[in-house]
Amino acid sequence: MTHRRILITGGAGFIGSNLALNWKRVFPESEVIALDNLKRRGSELALPRLRSGGVSFQHGDVRTPEDLEAAGPVDLMIECSAEPSVHAGYGQSPGYLINTNLTGLIHCLEHLRRTGGDLIFLSSSRVYPIAPLRALPLVRQGDRLVAEADAVRPGWSAAGIGEDFPLGGARSLYGATKLAAELLVEEYRAMYGLRAVIDRCGVIAGPWQMGKVDQGFVVLWMARHMFGGSLSYSGFGGQGVQVRDILHVDDLFALLTRQAADLSRLDGAVFNAGGGPEVSVSLRELTALCADLTGRRLDIAGDPATRPADIPWYVTDNAAVCRATGWRPERDVRTILGDIHHWLMAERCRLAPILGG
Ligand SMILES: NC(=O)c1ccc[n+]([C@@H]2O[C@H](COP(=O)([O-])OP(=O)(O)OC[C@H]3O[C@@H](n4cnc5c(N)ncnc54)[C@H](O)[C@@H]3O)[C@@H](O)[C@H]2O)c1
């Protein structure tokens, strides 16, 4: 293992805390530091988990360079801090989103420029623009939208969205901060010799995600079935047929360990990474699966209004990342939901006030 000291920004968040604990468990000789400003409601619940898993917690903010300096030199930084909602900034100030996702990333890059260390940056499928995603030729089949037979578009097939999907057009401010961050990573590679891999993640799900209406819908769906509260099928006519692929956070961890171990070969790569077509689900299908697991059926209303950043279908084409790393997602939708259900049952007293409606 070449990376002995690992800094995970956003390390008390859903992905960051799972990566930090898994990293320390699989590489016990490594020193893992989780830096987080605890902005996300529920992220404070990670602190005892991190402590008992041997991960050091540093209360800090990526908007403040001194907080990164305080972490000292690291061999690898995994950048997971963010305002992660695609709806952030609409109808309100984009200040926090831009300052955290973009200025914060620049501070992370500066820290690595000064002290050395590799970078794995968690980007997003939301770098792809909204209008062409909405224009994909889709038809309803049962409870979900599917690709029209034989339809072909650049960067798209029934296997999903590839890295060559055209990037022209608006993509939400969230997506724009991620794409701008990717460009800066590329410049730091070219100018300062930074070694970096970028993963454009689709929907990630699993235990310890503090799902809310604007981010983390898989956990939100299950939590509302268990703890009560309302859900609605919002957008695209309010039918609930929109589709996403889902990746279990432990499958993401497996990918990142492969990338970290092979960084000199993978340096500069930009991958789409997600569950892929086999691990995809529509909202209606998700409702049925949650009802099966919980024994509770919710009456879910349709809200036909489509919000500006909503898209009807996103499935990751994992071909490039699988080819380059030998990785593939192992957990299917039922396994992911089973893990979430088990976690919510075990932690219901602490989680019901946060995740219930
Ligand atoms: N969860 C997904 O489906 C998904 C999909 C694609 C990309 N991503 C990306 O993965 C990363 C992690 O996402 P997540 O799902 O774990 O979100 P999360 O909200 O659970 O975690 C983000 C963490 O960052 C912290 N944070 C926010 N602002 C900060 C700041 N200024 N300084 C320090 N910490 C700050 C929050 O307190 C939170 O704990 C993000 O970059 C996100 O954009 C997530």
Side-chain angles (χ1 to χ4, degrees), residues 217-218 220-226 228-235 237-242 282-291 294 296-304:
F217 75 93
V218 180
L220 178 81
W221 230 253
M222 183 68 80
R224 293 282 159 96
H225 276 81
M226 293 174 68
S230 62
L231 290 171
S232 75
Y233 295 134
S234 112
Q239 302 296 306
V241 289
Q242 55 265 60
S282 73
L283 287 178
R284 293 181 83 87
E285 292 166 350
L286 182 59
T287 301
L289 290 164
C290 289
T294 61
R296 194 158 171 206
R297 281 176 203 282
L298 291 191
D299 198 11
I300 301 183
D303 172 5

Side-chain angles (χ1 to χ4, degrees), residues 202-204 245-248 251 273-280 315-316 318 327 329 331 336:
V203 171
I204 314 290
D245 63 336
I246 315 172
L247 183 67
H248 194 295
D251 278 332
E278 295 82 35
V279 196
S280 68
V315 172
T316 308
N318 278 324
W327 168 86
R331 292 157 182 88
I336 296 170

Side-chain angles (χ1 to χ4, degrees), residues 27-93:
F27 307 109
E29 67 282 19
S30 64
E31 181 188 356
V32 182
I33 304 153
L35 180 145
D36 202 295
N37 71 352
L38 303 180
K39 169 83 163 38
R40 178 78 178 249
R41 187 169 176 224
S43 58
E44 67 284 357
L45 299 184
L47 302 189
R49 291 167 56 227
L50 293 171
R51 197 178 314 117
S52 63
V55 173
S56 317
F57 175 69
Q58 186 188 322
H59 188 232
D61 197 308
V62 293
R63 295 171 299 170
T64 309
E66 293 79 5
D67 287 356
L68 290 158
E69 265 167 45
V74 294
D75 301 310
L76 173 67
M77 183 189 293
I78 306 178
E79 223 288 75
C80 299
S81 69
E83 164 48 71
S85 169
V86 73
H87 303 292
Y90 289 98
Q92 51 185 280
S93 163

Side-chain angles (χ1 to χ4, degrees), residues 129-136 138 236 306-312:
I130 294 167
L133 287 171
R134 284 191 182 174
L136 291 176
L138 304 168
F236 306 105
T306 303
R307 293 169 297 178
D310 286 339
I311 51 172

Side-chain angles (χ1 to χ4, degrees), residues 8-19 35-44 46 57-64 67-68 79-85 96 99-101 104 121-126 174 177-178 199-206 208-212 215-217 245-247 249 252 273:
I8 302 186
T9 54
F14 159 54
I15 296 177
S17 65
N18 277 296
L19 293 180
L35 180 145
D36 202 295
N37 71 352
L38 303 180
K39 169 83 163 38
R40 178 78 178 249
R41 187 169 176 224
S43 58
E44 67 284 357
F57 175 69
Q58 186 188 322
H59 188 232
D61 197 308
V62 293
R63 295 171 299 170
T64 309
D67 287 356
L68 290 158
E79 223 288 75
C80 299
S81 69
E83 164 48 71
S85 169
Y96 190 84
N99 289 334
T100 291
N101 295 15
F121 176 58
L122 290 199
S123 186
S124 167
S125 58
R126 289 308 199 133
Y174 167 75
T177 60
K178 291 290 185 183
D199 291 304
R200 293 176 174 166
C201 300
V203 171
I204 314 290
W208 298 103
Q209 183 169 37
M210 299 299 153
K212 49 187 183 138
Q215 204 259 344
F217 75 93
D245 63 336
I246 315 172
L247 183 67
V249 68
L252 179 67

